[in-house]
Amino acid sequence: MVASHIITRRRFLHSIASASAALVGVPLTAPLSAMTVAQPQSVHLPFENGYRELVAYPQKRPLIVITSRPPQLETPFSVFNEGLITPNDAFFVRYHWAGIPTSIDPATFRLKVGGKVNRPLELSLDDLKQLADQVSLVAVLQCSGNSRGFFEPRVSGGQMANGAMGNALWTGIPLKKVLEKAGVQKGAMQVSFAGLDRSLFPNGPAFVKALSIEHALEREVMLAWAMNGEDLPVLNGYPLRLVVPGYYGTYWIKHVSEITVLDAPFKGFWMDPAYRIPDNACACVPAGEVPGKTIPISKLNVRSFIVNLTDDSTVTAGKENIVRGIAFDQGYGISEVIFSSDGGHSWQAAKLGEDMGRYAFREWSIPFVPTKKGQYQLKVRAINRIGQTQPMTALWNPSGYMRNVVETKNVMAR
Ligand SMILES: Nc1nc2c(c(=O)[nH]1)N[C@H]1C(S)=C(S)[C@@H](COP(=O)(O)O)O[C@H]1N2
Ligand SMILES: [Mo]
């Protein structure tokens, strides 16, 4: 493991034991506050002020704590080396307000649909499950600010390394079915989504996001109740969340309870001024500058990572070492992943693995034979089906969004 990612081994076994003991028999509807938290372990994320504790929240294994109020938990990067699907108990957690729901009764939960519709609805979970054929899709959920801690110069916001992303199988029904049942009126422009969490400050604006009506009616936008074949974990939006494949996590409203069809653009705080990017092709400005015109953040850019080696790994000189990783984009699909073992001077095509769909992590691998002993600078770069790729040097914007620079791992051949 990387020095910078080492999990403190002290009490490791003990805390795993107590973490699982704490979770046994905990009903999904139990208040979060009533549950025990494991002994902290710690990590040092590879940037200044990167010391973090790992804590096991309900239904979660120990995850990296970015903030505890509201809970913002990052997935330790080693999880991405364990498989292409991110397990529910390792999936990252992000909230904007500390007033999160701690007990939700699936029997009384209702989804309200209103605004510019012919038939306002109040749907139970059972109503929803019977409304349409269930659909499933593997898709990456990534926070806009994933990797923000690496921004240079540093920017404010949650200081995450690369673990504010995950790849899961989402199951639910198309949002379109619910909108059709309600009957969208002429002149509808946008649809807004609100969840059950609240600000604990009297004037804190509720976390509400909006999509255009055209987007909301696209077949792949989903109201999901299951993640990797199980009920959504409470912290990932139980009992229902919006799944917006290819879009940043900010639109994937958790505990979604109110859908409103609007005949004018939604103007809430979390659409404007929050979650906006410079209105240009790179979504970037020169470091330190303030963007002129901004637009709402939208689709994921192309990213790729090495998952089975860290900056502290050693590889064997004169032998084949398999380098493995993941790549993803906004849904065109990854067409090529190229790998360099000489700091980006020369590149070779990696072999792509199983295709779980165009919104999913795509595995890649390549044999790497270091001819002699010494340091090697490994780089990986993905290209999608319309030729979009990753920049060789990091782009910058003041919110620390959309980092997708070509990643580097420095390894030692022995
Ligand atoms: N209700 C609600 N939904 C929300 C948020 C929130 O604060 N409240 N945060 C959003 C953001 S910014 C992200 S990145 C994702 C994170 O989803 P996760 O916590 O399941 O990983 O949830 C989104 N949905
Ligand atoms: Mo996010």
Side-chain angles (χ1 to χ4, degrees), residues 320-343:
E320 208 175 84
N321 299 265
I322 301 296
V323 181
R324 226 167 13 86
I326 51 175
F328 60 91
D329 77 329
Q330 61 179 260
Y332 289 105
I334 295 298
S335 59
E336 196 179 6
V337 172
I338 54 176
F339 169 80
S340 172
S341 57
D342 57 8

Side-chain angles (χ1 to χ4, degrees), residues 94 143-144 250 275:
R94 204 266 188 259
C143 182
S144 321
T250 179
Y275 284 105

Side-chain angles (χ1 to χ4, degrees), residues 228-248:
N228 297 330
E230 288 170 14
D231 282 348
L232 292 167
V234 173
L235 292 169
N236 298 108
Y238 182 86
L240 193 69
R241 86 175 300 168
L242 194 65
V243 165
V244 192
Y247 276 65
Y248 280 98

Side-chain angles (χ1 to χ4, degrees), residues 33-307:
S33 53
M35 297 187 210
T36 340
V37 150
Q39 291 287 339
Q41 309 156 29
S42 63
V43 287
H44 204 291
L45 300 176
F47 40 76
E48 183 92 12
N49 292 323
Y51 175 82
R52 302 278 184 278
E53 289 194 334
L54 281 99
V55 174
Y57 276 67
Q59 304 176 293
K60 296 286 175 185
R61 68 177 83 172
L63 298 177
I64 300 166
V65 178
I66 306 295
T67 61
S68 52
R69 282 169 69 82
Q72 295 194 79
L73 311 174
E74 171 170 353
T75 303
F77 203 78
S78 59
V79 166
F80 302 112
N81 189 30
E82 290 168 20
L84 276 187
I85 292 286
T86 313
N88 289 4
D89 73 337
F91 211 96
F92 84 99
V93 172
R94 204 266 188 259
Y95 280 101
H96 294 74
W97 295 120
I100 65 172
T102 50
S103 70
I104 295 164
D105 180 355
T108 56
F109 173 85
R110 293 291 180 274
L111 171 68
K112 290 193 183 122
V113 185
K116 301 288 162 193
V117 296
N118 296 328
R119 294 170 294 277
L121 306 173
E122 281 205 21
L123 301 169
S124 69
L125 281 175
D126 283 344
D127 295 338
L128 278 165
K129 289 179 183 174
Q130 281 155 26
L131 193 65
D133 287 340
Q134 154 177 323
V135 287
S136 287
L137 176 87
V138 180
V140 175
L141 163 54
Q142 182 184 212
C143 182
S144 321
N146 191 25
S147 321
R148 182 184 285 124
F150 295 107
F151 269 67
E152 281 293 343
R154 296 293 284 269
V155 295
S156 59
Q159 300 298 302
M160 287 91 78
N162 296 325
M165 61 175 185
N167 183 48
L169 173 70
W170 308 96
T171 301
I173 55 166
L175 168 66
K176 180 182 180 12
K177 296 289 176 185
V178 172
L179 293 174
E180 281 171 356
K181 185 173 169 69
V184 172
Q185 291 177 354
K186 259 217 175 88
M189 261 185 95
Q190 291 195 345
V191 184
S192 71
F193 305 87
L196 297 172
D197 44 330
R198 292 286 172 269
S199 169
L200 299 181
F201 304 108
N203 298 321
F207 191 75
V208 183
K209 297 289 295 188
L211 300 176
S212 73
I213 185 72
E214 296 77 20
H215 188 186
L217 290 170
E218 276 173 20
R219 197 177 156 78
E220 281 161 334
V221 179
M222 192 193 294
L223 285 165
W225 52 77
M227 181 174 170
N228 297 330
E230 288 170 14
D231 282 348
L232 292 167
V234 173
L235 292 169
N236 298 108
Y238 182 86
L240 193 69
R241 86 175 300 168
L242 194 65
V243 165
V244 192
Y247 276 65
Y248 280 98
T250 179
Y251 295 100
W252 297 45
I253 295 292
K254 303 194 277 191
H255 325 285
V256 60
S257 59
E258 235 181 291
I259 297 179
T260 311
V261 177
L262 305 165
D263 59 5
F266 177 73
K267 288 245 163 53
F269 176 86
W270 300 103
M271 292 296 294
D272 189 0
Y275 284 105
R276 296 180 77 88
I277 54 171
D279 183 16
N280 58 36
C282 66
C284 69
V285 289
E289 283 187 18
V290 177
K293 190 166 181 263
T294 62
I295 51 169
I297 194 167
S298 60
K299 293 176 184 178
L300 305 179
N301 56 19
V302 181
R303 295 197 82 171
S304 60
F305 295 93
I306 292 170
V307 297

Side-chain angles (χ1 to χ4, degrees), residues 360-382:
F361 279 166
R362 187 75 192 262
E363 191 176 39
W364 58 267
S365 65
I366 191 166
F368 160 48
V369 185
T371 47
K372 41 182 204 257
K373 295 181 178 177
Q375 273 292 137
Y376 285 82
Q377 195 179 70
L378 311 183
K379 286 181 182 284
V380 59
R381 188 176 200 187

